[in-house]
Amino acid sequence: MTLDASIRVSRANFSLDVDLTIAPGEVVALLGPNGAGKTTALRALAGLVPGARVRVGESTWDGLPVERRPIGVVFQDYLLFAHMTALDNVAFGLRARGTAKAAANATAATWLDRVGLAGFERAKPRTLSGGQAQRVALARALATAPQLLLLDEPLAALDASTRLKVRADLGRHLRDYPGHTLLVTHDPLDAMVLADRIVILEDGRVVQQGTPAEVVRRPRTDYVAHLVGLNLYRGTAHGTEVSIVDGGSLTVAEPATGSVHVVFPPTAVGLYPEKPAGSPRNTWPVTVSGIERHAHTTRVHLDGTPPVFADVTTATMADLRLEPGDRLWAVLKATEVHTYPS
Amino acid sequence: MTTERATRGRLPVVLVLPALLGLAFLLLPMVGLLVRAPWRTLPARLVGAEVGEALRLSLVCASLATVVCLVLGVPLAWLLARGDLPGRGVLRALVTVPLVLPPVVGGVALLLVLGRRGLVGQHLDAWFGVSLPFTTAGVVVAEAFVAMPFLVISVEGALRAADPRFEEAAATLGASRWLTFRRVTLPSVLPGLVAGTVLCWARALGEFGATITFAGNFPGETTTMPLAVYLALETDPDAAIVLSIVLLVVSVGVLAGLRDRWIRGAT
């Protein structure tokens, strides 16, 4: 049965207005910048703040207090009960919902085994590593077989090396889980890897939704484009020529007409100290405004008409000896530019 | 330490001198008590009926008063910390009134309310034949009245410092507020609860003013240690010293039991 939720929360200087639909077994990621209202939406669905109307099939959750909702929540910092063992933590929900102690402990032990923590039954939360604590939190949330699983930044508290492994494990458990899952995150990679569908939230409103592939290929706002690491412009197309709203124009490979989004990856941009001879169509002068170093590439922020991000290799960086204020020529291959109607 | 002293100069005399005087002022009376104690006759007096009776009565009454404070005070602390009450600040202030009220005044107030002619006391007497003043039960009531704010303040502080999101986590797992309180909240404020209980018990043990006003002075029934000390001072100063030393030992024992970790948990 599909879960339909409409969330309306208003506070001073902030309002949240989101409609969500989650199919059984589906993982929906709510992705957005800090302060977009992601966590508020999650808390409203859980019943921790008022404002969400939830319907699952024929039944509604209107007026149901938190403790009577069929939910499981994994909190950002897990909130494991420090004075209880891992087993008691996982068994807590079952005990609270009336399962006898022996049966609850047996189910909890099975869950600890499923998340790869057999043998940690007696461990206190403070003795667990971040990744282990996250898995106990997941087992605790899933042990009661909830209809709706809510994950609030479940990987944010982990360091980069454990995150990779825990993310993969989490993905496996989410695929096995038959209920509805809502994942709140500000990390696009979590959303891409874990979710079947991404809902992007900005300032309390949904600005885009779709499968991860759709969102990456066709970002609709600067935030989304920046998030997935793409250059995005709005413009008007006349055949293969697109004049960009904020100035400048680009030549594209696929002809189009009317209002369009133009998008291309930063790797499609080449940088040259001199204007290249026999210049290709998309060549324009730019000024370096910022340099971000990543593991294997360097992202260069460039001012110009239009402004653009370019990813260059470490070797290119060494050749060009880039510094903010340097004047360069940007060259873009038309075949790497995609347009889609806005 | 050395580097700090080198960079920040000597400690100023204006502060050090009064500090040392203050320390001496706090410690000297206790030293005096030990110096003047009749050490030779002490063992004999300790096992004497008078001291034993007063000590037993004190311990029993203070413990019962502490139980009363726990049963009533912990829920009150929870209500002040977590209940969404209007005028919570005023309530909190009212709860602390017995803390600053002279105990004698508390005793008078108790008499007016719970006395045989009191607002509540007359009904207690008429309906149940219960009369609290000048009984051992009256001692417990007087001690509980004076000591409860210590427990409430300590537990409430611990509750307010505890992260309420753990209670939210418990709720999402299906726990009612009562279950959450028992299984999640209370264990997390245990250090504060223990500190509050010990303070409450120590205060009840030393209670004098409200007790003598409300419960009077009947040996074996309402004469607790502090009352016995006061009475003995007029007739038998050595006995007063012995009784005082017993109270001092008990108090220091309580402090030792409190240790840092309990105190730290409460603040």
Side-chain angles (χ1 to χ4, degrees):
Chain A
M1 280 176 294
T2 303
L3 181 144
D4 287 297
S6 71
I7 305 164
R8 311 268 179 280
V9 179
S10 47
R11 299 205 190 114
N13 306 326
F14 177 74
S15 77
L16 181 67
D17 188 340
V18 177
D19 290 320
L20 286 173
T21 302
I22 310 175
E26 189 182 29
V27 179
V28 172
L30 201 54
L31 181 65
N34 287 332
K38 307 185 297 286
T39 296
T40 305
L42 178 139
R43 290 173 59 80
L45 288 175
L48 292 167
V49 294
R53 309 198 59 163
V54 182
R55 164 189 288 278
V56 184
E58 290 302 299
S59 65
T60 66
W61 294 2
D62 293 353
L64 270 193
V66 185
E67 64 265 25
R68 307 246 323 266
R69 296 189 176 206
I71 53 169
V73 185
V74 175
F75 294 89
Q76 182 170 354
D77 36 8
Y78 319 134
L79 301 178
L80 297 177
F81 304 129
H83 58 281
M84 295 183 198
T85 62
L87 187 78
D88 288 342
N89 264 286
V90 178
F92 185 87
L94 294 161
R95 296 282 292 134
R97 288 168 205 260
T99 308
K101 189 172 177 113
N105 282 353
T107 310
T110 313
W111 269 104
L112 279 179
D113 187 36
R114 278 180 75 171
V115 298
L117 287 175
F120 284 86
E121 287 83 0
R122 304 249 142 267
K124 288 285 177 70
R126 72 185 140 73
T127 66
L128 299 173
S129 72
Q132 289 168 341
Q134 198 269 1
R135 286 184 279 161
V136 173
L138 181 67
R140 184 175 72 171
L142 286 173
T144 55
Q147 280 185 13
L148 173 62
L149 178 65
L150 298 164
L151 306 163
D152 188 5
E153 305 274 7
L155 302 165
L158 300 172
D159 56 61
S161 55
T162 31
R163 188 179 294 192
L164 202 66
K165 166 91 170 73
V166 176
R167 187 191 286 128
D169 288 342
L170 180 60
R172 195 162 46 78
H173 292 298
L174 292 182
R175 275 194 294 283
D176 291 345
Y177 169 62
H180 314 81
T181 304
L182 183 76
L183 164 74
V184 159
T185 180
H186 70 272
D187 182 344
L189 197 55
D190 290 348
M192 305 288 166
V193 173
L194 296 171
D196 300 309
R197 197 152 49 80
I198 297 179
V199 175
I200 292 171
L201 200 62
E202 277 182 66
D203 290 328
R205 301 287 182 279
V206 174
V207 294
Q208 186 173 3
Q209 52 181 312
T211 64
E214 281 166 10
V215 172
V216 170
R217 241 179 288 122
R218 305 190 155 195
R220 285 190 183 275
T221 71
D222 290 344
Y223 164 74
V224 182
H226 192 73
L227 198 67
V228 295
L230 297 170
N231 287 296
L232 172 79
Y233 308 96
R234 262 173 295 273
T236 314
H238 310 281
T240 58
E241 196 69 17
V242 178
S243 37
I244 291 160
V245 171
D246 297 325
S249 69
L250 291 170
T251 305
V252 297
E254 313 150 31
T257 48
S259 189
V260 290
H261 279 118
V262 180
V263 64
F264 53 87
T267 49
V269 181
L271 294 177
Y272 299 92
E274 310 287 337
K275 188 169 187 179
S279 47
R281 300 287 288 281
N282 290 322
T283 303
W284 71 105
V286 290
T287 311
V288 177
S289 61
I291 296 168
E292 264 176 63
R293 281 166 218 281
H294 297 289
H296 303 293
T297 60
T298 301
R299 176 159 300 176
V300 187
H301 299 234
L302 299 148
D303 282 339
T305 323
V308 68
F309 299 117
D311 280 356
V312 297
T313 60
T314 316
T316 315
M317 263 318 272
D319 283 348
L320 293 175
R321 295 175 176 277
L322 289 183
E323 282 189 36
D326 286 358
R327 289 163 184 283
L328 299 163
W329 289 87
V331 174
L332 173 65
K333 290 188 213 110
T335 49
E336 299 230 27
V337 181
H338 300 278
T339 57
Y340 48 92
S342 60
Chain B
M1 278 317 268
T2 352
T3 52
E4 198 168 304
R5 201 173 296 166
T7 54
R8 301 197 44 199
R10 289 174 44 200
L11 297 169
V13 178
V14 219
L15 289 179
V16 172
L17 205 62
L20 291 178
L21 273 177
L23 192 65
F25 176 63
L26 288 176
L27 292 181
L28 262 183
M30 284 176 255
V31 174
L33 202 59
L34 294 174
V35 168
R36 293 292 305 278
W39 292 107
R40 268 187 315 109
T41 57
L42 191 96
R45 285 180 183 276
L46 268 185
V47 292
E50 203 187 343
V51 176
E53 200 171 60
L55 184 60
R56 202 180 55 247
L57 187 69
S58 274
L59 293 177
V60 167
C61 287
S63 302
L64 284 176
T66 305
V67 170
V68 171
C69 291
L70 280 171
V71 170
L72 304 179
V74 172
L76 178 56
W78 179 82
L79 202 67
L80 288 175
R82 288 286 190 275
D84 245 341
L85 300 173
R88 198 159 52 157
V90 177
L91 267 184
R92 190 178 294 132
L94 287 176
V95 165
T96 53
V97 166
L99 207 62
V100 291
L101 196 71
V104 180
V105 178
V108 172
L110 283 174
L111 265 184
L112 292 179
V113 173
L114 295 174
R116 199 164 288 195
R117 299 269 168 86
L119 289 172
V120 177
Q122 56 182 325
H123 299 301
L124 283 181
D125 195 22
W127 297 341
F128 308 108
V130 174
S131 174
L132 290 172
F134 312 113
T135 62
T136 307
V139 175
V140 175
V141 168
E143 290 182 350
F145 176 78
V146 173
M148 192 146 85
F150 286 85
L151 182 83
V152 174
I153 285 181
S154 178
V155 174
E156 198 226 340
L159 281 173
R160 289 210 287 167
D163 190 343
R165 294 182 314 140
F166 284 99
E167 292 165 19
E168 291 183 350
T172 66
L173 289 164
S176 65
R177 292 194 90 171
W178 170 231
L179 181 71
T180 304
F181 176 76
R182 278 188 300 135
R183 294 288 315 277
V184 176
T185 315
L186 214 47
S188 73
V189 299
L190 198 61
L193 181 64
V194 171
T197 306
V198 173
L199 277 175
C200 171
W201 186 80
R203 182 67 189 87
L205 190 72
E207 178 19 4
F208 176 81
T211 310
I212 200 164
T213 314
F214 184 61
N217 176 31
F218 301 102
E221 217 177 312
T222 70
T223 306
T224 55
M225 289 290 281
L227 272 63
V229 171
Y230 181 73
L231 292 174
L233 204 53
E234 293 182 346
T235 55
D236 183 2
D238 277 0
I241 296 172
V242 171
L243 288 163
S244 298
I245 285 177
V246 172
L247 273 183
L248 181 66
V249 167
V250 172
S251 308
V252 171
V254 164
L255 251 185
L258 257 173
R259 288 194 301 262
D260 299 46
R261 62 190 176 120
W262 298 124
I263 295 171
R264 229 186 301 134
T267 50

